[in-house]
mmCIF file of all heavy atoms in Angstrom:
data_model
loop_
_atom_site.group_PDB
_atom_site.id
_atom_site.type_symbol
_atom_site.label_atom_id
_atom_site.label_comp_id
_atom_site.label_asym_id
_atom_site.label_seq_id
_atom_site.Cartn_x
_atom_site.Cartn_y
_atom_site.Cartn_z
ATOM 1 N N LYS D 133 -13.585 222.370 53.939
ATOM 2 C CA LYS D 133 -13.212 222.069 55.378
ATOM 3 C C LYS D 133 -12.278 220.820 55.443
ATOM 4 O O LYS D 133 -11.259 220.762 56.007
ATOM 5 C CB LYS D 133 -14.490 221.839 56.272
ATOM 6 C CG LYS D 133 -14.059 221.418 57.745
ATOM 7 C CD LYS D 133 -15.295 221.131 58.541
ATOM 8 C CE LYS D 133 -14.874 220.542 59.937
ATOM 9 N NZ LYS D 133 -16.025 220.233 60.776
ATOM 10 N N LYS D 134 -12.817 219.757 54.663
ATOM 11 C CA LYS D 134 -11.921 218.555 54.455
ATOM 12 C C LYS D 134 -10.664 218.858 53.863
ATOM 13 O O LYS D 134 -9.622 218.349 54.364
ATOM 14 C CB LYS D 134 -12.707 217.543 53.630
ATOM 15 C CG LYS D 134 -12.082 216.278 53.507
ATOM 16 C CD LYS D 134 -12.987 215.217 52.607
ATOM 17 C CE LYS D 134 -12.212 213.848 52.565
ATOM 18 N NZ LYS D 134 -13.060 213.008 51.654
ATOM 19 N N LYS D 135 -10.565 219.678 52.815
ATOM 20 C CA LYS D 135 -9.460 220.129 52.148
ATOM 21 C C LYS D 135 -8.420 220.732 53.216
ATOM 22 O O LYS D 135 -7.289 220.481 53.217
ATOM 23 C CB LYS D 135 -9.767 221.053 51.058
ATOM 24 C CG LYS D 135 -8.588 221.357 50.125
ATOM 25 C CD LYS D 135 -8.383 220.259 49.197
ATOM 26 C CE LYS D 135 -7.209 220.660 48.140
ATOM 27 N NZ LYS D 135 -6.929 219.549 47.196
ATOM 28 N N PHE D 136 -9.091 221.639 54.037
ATOM 29 C CA PHE D 136 -8.196 222.328 55.078
ATOM 30 C C PHE D 136 -7.538 221.317 56.012
ATOM 31 O O PHE D 136 -6.322 221.398 56.273
ATOM 32 C CB PHE D 136 -8.984 223.386 55.806
ATOM 33 C CG PHE D 136 -8.245 223.922 56.931
ATOM 34 C CD1 PHE D 136 -7.339 224.925 56.786
ATOM 35 C CD2 PHE D 136 -8.541 223.422 58.266
ATOM 36 C CE1 PHE D 136 -6.641 225.537 57.872
ATOM 37 C CE2 PHE D 136 -7.755 224.078 59.326
ATOM 38 C CZ PHE D 136 -6.880 225.071 59.178
ATOM 39 N N GLN D 137 -8.339 220.473 56.504
ATOM 40 C CA GLN D 137 -7.883 219.457 57.377
ATOM 41 C C GLN D 137 -6.643 218.570 56.733
ATOM 42 O O GLN D 137 -5.792 218.173 57.377
ATOM 43 C CB GLN D 137 -8.934 218.505 57.846
ATOM 44 C CG GLN D 137 -10.079 219.061 58.685
ATOM 45 C CD GLN D 137 -9.585 219.600 59.980
ATOM 46 O OE1 GLN D 137 -8.660 219.036 60.557
ATOM 47 N NE2 GLN D 137 -10.088 220.635 60.450
ATOM 48 N N GLN D 138 -6.895 218.298 55.472
ATOM 49 C CA GLN D 138 -5.749 217.572 54.785
ATOM 50 C C GLN D 138 -4.390 218.275 54.831
ATOM 51 O O GLN D 138 -3.376 217.601 54.760
ATOM 52 C CB GLN D 138 -6.203 217.192 53.396
ATOM 53 C CG GLN D 138 -7.418 216.220 53.338
ATOM 54 C CD GLN D 138 -7.893 216.000 52.012
ATOM 55 O OE1 GLN D 138 -7.694 216.754 51.032
ATOM 56 N NE2 GLN D 138 -8.731 215.022 51.691
ATOM 57 N N HIS D 139 -4.532 219.607 54.755
ATOM 58 C CA HIS D 139 -3.304 220.399 54.601
ATOM 59 C C HIS D 139 -2.976 221.170 55.811
ATOM 60 O O HIS D 139 -2.106 222.072 55.832
ATOM 61 C CB HIS D 139 -3.503 221.400 53.434
ATOM 62 C CG HIS D 139 -3.626 220.599 52.121
ATOM 63 N ND1 HIS D 139 -2.455 220.203 51.328
ATOM 64 C CD2 HIS D 139 -4.682 220.352 51.240
ATOM 65 C CE1 HIS D 139 -2.881 219.719 50.189
ATOM 66 N NE2 HIS D 139 -4.212 219.718 50.130
ATOM 67 N N LYS D 140 -3.607 220.896 56.885
ATOM 68 C CA LYS D 140 -3.484 221.685 58.168
ATOM 69 C C LYS D 140 -1.929 221.619 58.512
ATOM 70 O O LYS D 140 -1.361 222.686 59.060
ATOM 71 C CB LYS D 140 -4.362 221.170 59.305
ATOM 72 C CG LYS D 140 -4.360 222.074 60.469
ATOM 73 C CD LYS D 140 -5.606 221.751 61.307
ATOM 74 C CE LYS D 140 -5.489 220.275 61.815
ATOM 75 N NZ LYS D 140 -6.608 220.050 62.797
ATOM 76 N N GLY D 141 -1.218 220.450 58.526
ATOM 77 C CA GLY D 141 0.009 220.374 58.864
ATOM 78 C C GLY D 141 0.996 221.302 57.990
ATOM 79 O O GLY D 141 1.886 221.940 58.526
ATOM 80 N N GLU D 142 0.750 221.305 56.702
ATOM 81 C CA GLU D 142 1.479 222.102 55.769
ATOM 82 C C GLU D 142 1.355 223.548 56.014
ATOM 83 O O GLU D 142 2.304 224.384 56.031
ATOM 84 C CB GLU D 142 1.102 221.751 54.282
ATOM 85 C CG GLU D 142 1.344 220.331 53.958
ATOM 86 C CD GLU D 142 0.841 220.016 52.567
ATOM 87 O OE1 GLU D 142 1.264 220.512 51.590
ATOM 88 O OE2 GLU D 142 -0.206 219.299 52.519
ATOM 89 N N ILE D 143 -0.049 223.982 56.361
ATOM 90 C CA ILE D 143 -0.276 225.373 56.696
ATOM 91 C C ILE D 143 0.537 225.820 57.925
ATOM 92 O O ILE D 143 1.137 226.896 58.098
ATOM 93 C CB ILE D 143 -1.709 225.522 56.765
ATOM 94 C CG1 ILE D 143 -2.489 225.309 55.418
ATOM 95 C CG2 ILE D 143 -2.039 226.874 57.300
ATOM 96 C CD1 ILE D 143 -3.961 225.269 55.431
ATOM 97 N N LEU D 144 0.402 224.909 58.949
ATOM 98 C CA LEU D 144 1.251 225.218 60.278
ATOM 99 C C LEU D 144 2.659 225.367 59.972
ATOM 100 O O LEU D 144 3.285 226.301 60.502
ATOM 101 C CB LEU D 144 0.900 224.109 61.337
ATOM 102 C CG LEU D 144 1.208 224.504 62.642
ATOM 103 C CD1 LEU D 144 0.500 225.678 63.204
ATOM 104 C CD2 LEU D 144 0.968 223.348 63.644
ATOM 105 N N SER D 145 3.179 224.439 58.999
ATOM 106 C CA SER D 145 4.698 224.590 58.709
ATOM 107 C C SER D 145 4.912 225.853 57.966
ATOM 108 O O SER D 145 6.028 226.475 58.298
ATOM 109 C CB SER D 145 4.959 223.477 57.911
ATOM 110 O OG SER D 145 4.927 222.180 58.474
ATOM 111 N N TYR D 146 3.993 226.350 57.180
ATOM 112 C CA TYR D 146 4.201 227.591 56.559
ATOM 113 C C TYR D 146 4.173 228.800 57.516
ATOM 114 O O TYR D 146 5.098 229.620 57.443
ATOM 115 C CB TYR D 146 3.020 227.726 55.460
ATOM 116 C CG TYR D 146 2.988 229.231 54.987
ATOM 117 C CD1 TYR D 146 3.799 229.628 53.916
ATOM 118 C CD2 TYR D 146 2.087 230.045 55.518
ATOM 119 C CE1 TYR D 146 3.774 230.998 53.382
ATOM 120 C CE2 TYR D 146 1.995 231.500 55.127
ATOM 121 C CZ TYR D 146 2.786 231.809 54.112
ATOM 122 O OH TYR D 146 2.816 233.183 53.662
ATOM 123 N N VAL D 147 3.296 228.683 58.408
ATOM 124 C CA VAL D 147 3.255 229.800 59.529
ATOM 125 C C VAL D 147 4.588 229.733 60.360
ATOM 126 O O VAL D 147 5.097 230.863 60.686
ATOM 127 C CB VAL D 147 2.037 229.636 60.370
ATOM 128 C CG1 VAL D 147 2.015 230.723 61.361
ATOM 129 C CG2 VAL D 147 0.713 229.750 59.498
ATOM 130 N N ALA D 148 5.037 228.561 60.475
ATOM 131 C CA ALA D 148 6.272 228.450 61.405
ATOM 132 C C ALA D 148 7.491 229.129 60.673
ATOM 133 O O ALA D 148 8.272 229.760 61.287
ATOM 134 C CB ALA D 148 6.543 226.950 61.643
ATOM 135 N N ASP D 149 7.551 228.644 59.401
ATOM 136 C CA ASP D 149 8.632 229.379 58.531
ATOM 137 C C ASP D 149 8.498 230.846 58.433
ATOM 138 O O ASP D 149 9.470 231.587 58.546
ATOM 139 C CB ASP D 149 8.604 228.677 57.131
ATOM 140 C CG ASP D 149 9.045 227.236 57.076
ATOM 141 O OD1 ASP D 149 9.736 226.819 58.063
ATOM 142 O OD2 ASP D 149 8.693 226.574 56.082
ATOM 143 N N TYR D 150 7.273 231.286 58.204
ATOM 144 C CA TYR D 150 6.911 232.744 58.128
ATOM 145 C C TYR D 150 7.386 233.414 59.274
ATOM 146 O O TYR D 150 7.960 234.635 59.269
ATOM 147 C CB TYR D 150 5.436 232.902 57.824
ATOM 148 C CG TYR D 150 5.112 234.389 57.775
ATOM 149 C CD1 TYR D 150 5.166 235.039 56.503
ATOM 150 C CD2 TYR D 150 4.404 235.025 58.860
ATOM 151 C CE1 TYR D 150 4.738 236.374 56.478
ATOM 152 C CE2 TYR D 150 4.022 236.320 58.801
ATOM 153 C CZ TYR D 150 4.225 236.948 57.604
ATOM 154 O OH TYR D 150 3.801 238.403 57.550
ATOM 155 N N SER D 151 7.180 232.888 60.540
ATOM 156 C CA SER D 151 7.339 233.506 61.811
ATOM 157 C C SER D 151 8.694 233.160 62.368
ATOM 158 O O SER D 151 9.060 233.629 63.465
ATOM 159 C CB SER D 151 6.206 233.265 62.745
ATOM 160 O OG SER D 151 6.084 231.889 63.058
ATOM 161 N N ASN D 152 9.363 232.336 61.660
ATOM 162 C CA ASN D 152 10.684 231.812 62.184
ATOM 163 C C ASN D 152 10.574 231.238 63.559
ATOM 164 O O ASN D 152 11.335 231.513 64.424
ATOM 165 C CB ASN D 152 11.694 233.029 62.270
ATOM 166 C CG ASN D 152 13.168 232.491 62.311
ATOM 167 O OD1 ASN D 152 13.542 231.423 61.928
ATOM 168 N ND2 ASN D 152 14.007 233.308 62.910
ATOM 169 N N LYS D 153 9.594 230.313 63.693
ATOM 170 C CA LYS D 153 9.346 229.548 64.910
ATOM 171 C C LYS D 153 9.256 228.085 64.612
ATOM 172 O O LYS D 153 9.039 227.617 63.472
ATOM 173 C CB LYS D 153 7.883 230.110 65.545
ATOM 174 C CG LYS D 153 7.977 231.555 65.966
ATOM 175 C CD LYS D 153 8.964 231.716 67.238
ATOM 176 C CE LYS D 153 8.918 233.243 67.621
ATOM 177 N NZ LYS D 153 9.843 233.411 68.844
ATOM 178 N N ASP D 154 9.385 227.394 65.785
ATOM 179 C CA ASP D 154 9.255 225.910 65.603
ATOM 180 C C ASP D 154 7.721 225.490 65.508
ATOM 181 O O ASP D 154 6.932 226.261 66.138
ATOM 182 C CB ASP D 154 9.965 225.220 66.758
ATOM 183 C CG ASP D 154 11.308 225.280 66.706
ATOM 184 O OD1 ASP D 154 11.983 225.510 65.660
ATOM 185 O OD2 ASP D 154 12.045 225.227 67.852
ATOM 186 N N VAL D 155 7.402 224.539 64.765
ATOM 187 C CA VAL D 155 6.066 224.043 64.641
ATOM 188 C C VAL D 155 5.599 223.742 66.139
ATOM 189 O O VAL D 155 4.419 223.945 66.465
ATOM 190 C CB VAL D 155 5.981 222.772 63.744
ATOM 191 C CG1 VAL D 155 4.567 222.180 63.814
ATOM 192 C CG2 VAL D 155 6.271 223.213 62.255
ATOM 193 N N ALA D 156 6.522 223.059 66.909
ATOM 194 C CA ALA D 156 6.095 222.674 68.306
ATOM 195 C C ALA D 156 5.586 223.807 69.086
ATOM 196 O O ALA D 156 4.598 223.780 69.854
ATOM 197 C CB ALA D 156 7.194 222.022 68.991
#
Side-chain angles (χ1 to χ4, degrees):
K133 174 184 176 181
K134 182 178 180 181
K135 188 77 171 178
F136 171 80
Q137 293 296 329
Q138 292 173 342
H139 295 281
K140 189 164 60 176
E142 297 169 72
I143 294 171
L144 192 60
S145 294
Y146 166 81
V147 178
D149 291 339
Y150 176 85
S151 57
N152 195 28
K153 295 291 183 180
D154 294 330
V155 171

